[in-house]
Amino acid sequence: MFVKKDLRKIPQILADASQRAASSPPSLSEEGDDTPPTKKAKSNNNKNNDIITEMRLGRRAPEFLPSCNASILLQPKFRPALDNLIQVSLY
């Protein structure tokens, strides 16, 4: 199985995730539903409206330059993208 790399840059990925989070309902789970949030996000057939629960940003070191830190992730305009995250990979 091959994994296709997302060719978008980190700011574009975060902007897209923020837009999805803003257009989705405020709660991932409904009362009485035992399905984990990650399963609910992946089970939806409409990928444009899925809530992002996992970000894999590994092997993108040049995008974190010149300051060599992850401060781009902490910008206030990208906060909605991070609200529903369960896992972030920056290895």
Side-chain angles (χ1 to χ4, degrees):
M1 179 174 170
F2 294 100
V3 177
K4 183 178 177 184
K5 182 179 178 182
D6 192 346
L7 299 176
R8 298 175 296 167
K9 300 295 182 190
I10 291 174
Q12 188 177 3
I13 293 170
L14 291 170
D16 180 46
S18 296
Q19 182 181 16
R20 290 181 187 189
S23 66
S24 66
S27 176
L28 285 176
S29 60
E30 296 177 7
E31 195 170 310
D33 189 3
D34 294 334
T35 307
T38 53
K39 297 290 184 190
K40 289 184 92 172
K42 291 179 182 177
S43 67
N44 191 355
N45 290 335
N46 188 357
K47 290 187 176 186
N48 291 334
N49 292 329
D50 286 350
I51 296 171
I52 305 297
T53 57
E54 181 177 3
M55 283 191 182
R56 296 180 184 171
L57 302 174
R59 299 184 181 158
R60 292 179 178 262
E63 295 182 47
F64 291 108
L65 294 176
S67 58
C68 295
N69 62 29
S71 63
I72 190 170
L73 299 174
L74 303 176
Q75 294 179 8
K77 65 182 176 182
F78 297 135
R79 178 155 188 250
L82 304 175
D83 285 343
N84 297 312
L85 283 183
I86 295 172
Q87 180 178 1
V88 177
S89 175
L90 297 173
Y91 65 94

